Amino acid sequence: MTSSSPPPRRATRWRRRLLAPLIYAAALLLILEEWLWDATQAVLARIPSWPVLVRLQRWVERLSPYAALAIFVAPTLLLLPVKVLALLSITHGHPTLGLAIVLVAKVLGTALVARIYALTRRSLLSLAWFQRYHDKLLDWKDRLTAQLHASAGWRQVQRLLLAMRTLLARLRARLSAEPPSPWTRMLRLFRRLAARMRKQPPPK
């Protein structure tokens, strides 16, 4: 007597339902990581070219491969105690403080790692083993990205983001097209009167 097995289509359907939350979470995390990387790079690019920072960046660029590797790994190691402190804050009944510490550590860590990677990339890739694992990591990320782009979860997230951008664009267009309020008109009138009074010559 043989046991009946579920149809392949039904098993595939249940597998998709179970993996759907993971796909949604991976899609959101990937979007957040890419946005955070680009945002921190844009902020760092606006920092003035202070002589001290210029000399420090040039010094980092001239480091040897293993010294560059130590500088590259340093932010991750230095932020580990901060993340442990955040977990302790959450476990001791301070979730808001712990979450704030995690967010600040994430932003600062991403900014530092992104900038250090840009400065030490040439030295790091001169190490054969680092370049090998670097290429494998990028290949794995590309495959994961391709799978996410082909998933229904990713498409739904993209549709949601597109709808939010369209809504914000419509709100901005509507606000810019609306006539000014009476208070705004009155304020403009007072400004014009004050400007004319300043331009009039004083009485003799």
Side-chain angles (χ1 to χ4, degrees), residues 153-196:
W154 177 271
R155 290 193 295 269
Q156 187 167 353
V157 169
Q158 291 298 314
R159 287 194 295 268
L160 177 61
L161 292 177
L162 180 59
M164 292 176 61
R165 292 171 184 170
T166 305
L167 179 61
L168 290 177
R170 291 178 179 176
L171 288 176
R172 291 175 182 174
R174 183 177 300 177
L175 291 176
S176 60
E178 288 181 354
S181 62
W183 291 104
T184 304
R185 293 177 182 176
M186 188 178 299
L187 182 60
R188 290 179 181 176
L189 180 61
F190 281 128
R191 288 178 178 175
R192 291 175 183 175
L193 292 175
R196 291 179 181 178

Side-chain angles (χ1 to χ4, degrees), residues 21-92:
L22 298 178
I23 294 175
Y24 279 99
L28 292 174
L29 289 176
L30 185 59
I31 293 174
L32 177 61
E33 189 71 24
E34 291 179 354
W35 175 84
L36 188 57
W37 185 281
D38 295 337
T40 52
Q41 286 299 295
V43 171
L44 290 176
R46 297 180 180 179
I47 295 178
S49 298
W50 296 332
V52 177
L53 292 179
V54 173
R55 289 195 297 268
L56 180 61
Q57 292 180 4
R58 291 177 180 174
W59 174 76
V60 173
E61 290 176 343
R62 293 193 298 266
L63 289 174
S64 62
Y66 282 99
L69 179 64
I71 296 295
F72 178 69
V73 178
T76 303
L77 298 179
L78 292 176
L79 288 175
L80 283 178
V82 179
K83 294 179 180 179
V84 173
L85 178 62
L87 292 177
L88 291 177
S89 300
I90 293 174
T91 55
H92 284 77

Side-chain angles (χ1 to χ4, degrees), residues 2 8 22 27 32 39-40 49 62 68 74-75 99 116 125 130 140 182 197:
T2 58
L22 298 178
L32 177 61
T40 52
S49 298
R62 293 193 298 266
L99 183 59
I116 293 175
L125 292 180
F130 185 90
W140 174 80
M197 292 177 62

